Amino acid sequence: MDVYDELGVKKIINCAGTYTIIGGSRMSKATLEAMNEAAHSHVVIQEMQQAVYGRIAALTKNEAACVTPGAMAGLYLTMASCVSMKYQKAFKFISKQDVANAEIIMFRAHRNPYDRGLEVLGVKLVELGYPNNISIVTEEELENAITDRTAAILYLPSCDGGWVPPGALNFEATVKLAKQYRVPLVVDAAAQLPPKSNFWTFTQAGASAIVFSGGKDLKGPQTTGLVLGRMELLQWVHANSFPNYGIGRLHKVGREELAGIYLAVKQYIEADEDERREACERVVSRYAESFTQKDGLHFERAWPNEAGQPIARAKLIITSPALTVEGIEAELAQNNPSIYVRIENGCIYINPMTITLDEAELVLGVFKKINERVTNE
Ligand SMILES: *Cc1c(COP(=O)(O)O)cnc(C)c1O
């Protein structure tokens, strides 16, 4: 009996991907051990922060780093820190009126539920372009939007096949203008791992900061996020963040999480990315090879995945009239253990990133049973 059994909470097999609402990812044994060790002793939190931030910055080839309770908190603190940099004051000393006068530029195509933090912050959002190809935003439009009120540009990088619609200026043009006008460019790359080169490519190209989720593919504690980038901006992120009083005090990160995210980053850097990608390909091939076109269902390789990560998924193709996407989804959910899949444009996808090989086999067995049932009917 484990803690979930004691609580009566059902365990699920996550074939959907690194979705926070179903637990994002699993920490490694080494990460959990480091968290356990960290919990055994008291330390001065700022000393622990300095050590972890220094190591993470070096590992990710950035000048500086900060750990926040998730990427959304990281975005919030980073945008507040852009306002701090503009006025050269900790956020708690900036008047509400000065905050309201500060502008953050964002392409409409990049709007997403996580930018809600900007509204809470009280800054003015300046939106450019449209999330389609009718009127592509030009460099001239961005240049005209940059004024002495601008505190930052917030950018959501797109990758082929990911969830970012068209309609924004590309990263190269945006970073060129950000540098030219000396406006900090902040990149929300919460889910853009792999590839691990994203840790440094955007900041090396001139972004002032980049934000990642610790709880997605990075496999750190669910309640962590990373802000990486230039010291000029990160010094303000440090000044505004926990344990200092001010807005960051409600974004607490404990020593256990600091130890956990450090281990997670170290392992992510050391891991063989090609081997991992191939392991995912093998799971997808196994699904594809287990059925034929004559079966009631079969799988095709789909690439890239929902977040635009360069990892293959297995896409379910239903050929039997006795089967529906909704029916299969419900049957998988009712399985013991319950199986969660991703539904996208009316199709079921199996993402190998969040399942073990045993789980991949177990789920495949359930699909085989469904197939046998309809082909024997
Ligand atoms: C997941 C995600 C976030 C939030 O990450 P958390 O670590 O869960 O706070 C922010 N932005 C984007 C684009 C994301 O995909």
Side-chain angles (χ1 to χ4, degrees):
M1 180 149 135
D2 67 12
V3 69
Y4 292 123
D5 299 331
E6 183 182 330
L7 293 166
V9 174
K10 80 172 184 228
K11 283 175 278 216
I12 65 169
I13 295 181
N14 173 12
C15 297
T18 56
Y19 291 96
T20 302
I21 50 162
I22 44 175
S25 57
R26 275 179 278 210
M27 289 184 271
S28 74
K29 206 164 157 255
T31 299
L32 286 166
E33 271 166 16
M35 292 180 75
N36 200 344
E37 281 166 19
H40 282 293
S41 306
H42 287 260
V43 290
V44 177
I45 287 297
Q46 277 165 320
E47 192 184 326
M48 176 74 170
Q49 286 177 331
Q50 266 191 9
V52 167
Y53 295 174
R55 296 289 183 99
I56 291 178
L59 285 164
T60 62
K61 306 183 193 179
N62 282 282
E63 279 176 22
C66 186
V67 178
T68 59
M72 185 166 171
L75 282 170
Y76 178 82
L77 282 167
T78 308
M79 298 330 283
S81 301
C82 290
V83 179
S84 281
M85 192 160 97
K86 177 175 170 53
Y87 295 113
Q88 293 290 303
K89 274 186 213 173
F91 195 80
K92 64 182 169 189
F93 298 127
I94 306 172
S95 73
K96 279 209 169 96
Q97 193 51 54
D98 281 346
V99 173
N101 287 340
E103 295 180 350
I104 307 285
I105 299 173
M106 206 176 168
F107 297 109
R108 278 197 186 84
H110 290 178
R111 293 297 313 271
N112 68 77
Y114 301 104
D115 65 37
R116 187 73 201 264
L118 299 177
E119 206 173 299
V120 181
L121 208 53
V123 289
K124 185 170 173 222
L125 189 61
V126 175
E127 295 178 281
L128 294 184
Y130 300 92
N132 57 49
N133 274 326
I134 296 174
S135 168
I136 308 269
V137 70
T138 60
E139 290 191 19
E140 202 184 354
E141 279 176 75
L142 178 55
E143 280 189 281
N144 279 290
I146 297 173
T147 68
D148 55 7
R149 292 183 300 280
T150 308
I153 301 169
L154 177 55
Y155 199 90
L156 196 69
S158 57
C159 2
D160 292 337
W163 53 37
V164 181
L169 210 54
N170 67 33
F171 179 74
E172 291 70 26
T174 308
V175 80
K176 183 191 80 182
L177 293 177
K179 280 201 267 191
Q180 190 179 323
Y181 290 92
R182 300 187 50 78
V183 172
L185 176 67
V186 177
V187 177
D188 174 3
Q192 299 329 125
L193 292 171
K196 60 183 156 192
S197 56
N198 280 351
F199 276 137
W200 51 82
T201 43
F202 291 93
T203 42
Q204 283 180 355
S208 299
I210 186 158
V211 177
F212 294 99
S213 178
K216 292 179 180 172
D217 196 50
L218 193 47
K219 301 179 190 71
Q222 280 302 292
T223 53
T224 57
L226 291 178
V227 182
L228 308 172
R230 298 239 183 277
M231 189 55 92
E232 190 191 8
L233 175 56
L234 265 287
Q235 66 182 1
W236 291 110
V237 179
H238 295 152
N240 288 328
S241 68
F242 176 79
N244 298 309
Y245 286 115
I247 53 162
R249 185 59 185 81
L250 80 154
H251 293 139
K252 182 174 180 174
V253 180
R255 61 195 189 282
E256 299 85 356
E257 282 78 20
L258 287 169
I261 189 69
Y262 163 57
L263 258 285
V265 172
K266 197 163 91 168
Q267 291 167 97
Y268 207 82
I269 294 288
E270 284 165 2
D272 185 336
E273 210 159 71
D274 296 335
E275 166 48 37
R276 198 283 182 96
R277 193 184 58 238
E278 280 155 25
C280 288
E281 290 286 354
R282 285 195 291 275
V283 172
V284 172
S285 299
R286 170 111 178 99
Y287 272 65
E289 287 156 9
S290 295
F291 303 92
T292 70
Q293 308 270 352
K294 288 190 204 111
D295 284 311
L297 58 86
H298 63 272
F299 288 90
E300 277 177 6
R301 177 183 181 271
W303 191 93
N305 69 13
E306 73 288 344
Q309 295 155 337
I311 299 272
R313 288 188 294 173
K315 178 182 179 178
L316 178 71
I317 310 289
I318 297 171
T319 41
S320 165
L323 294 173
T324 62
V325 166
E326 296 73 23
I328 293 176
E329 185 191 14
E331 193 169 337
L332 294 171
Q334 277 157 22
N335 190 73
N336 186 17
S338 185
I339 300 165
Y340 274 51
V341 289
R342 166 95 177 150
I343 313 277
E344 226 172 271
N345 301 322
C347 293
I348 289 176
Y349 289 86
I350 305 291
N351 188 331
M353 290 169 81
T354 43
I355 46 176
T356 63
L357 287 178
D358 286 346
E359 287 173 336
E361 284 306 310
L362 187 154
V363 173
L364 185 62
V366 175
F367 280 109
K368 281 182 178 165
K369 271 200 199 122
I370 294 172
N371 180 55
E372 276 162 29
R373 194 179 67 222
V374 294
T375 42
N376 292 338
E377 261 167 15

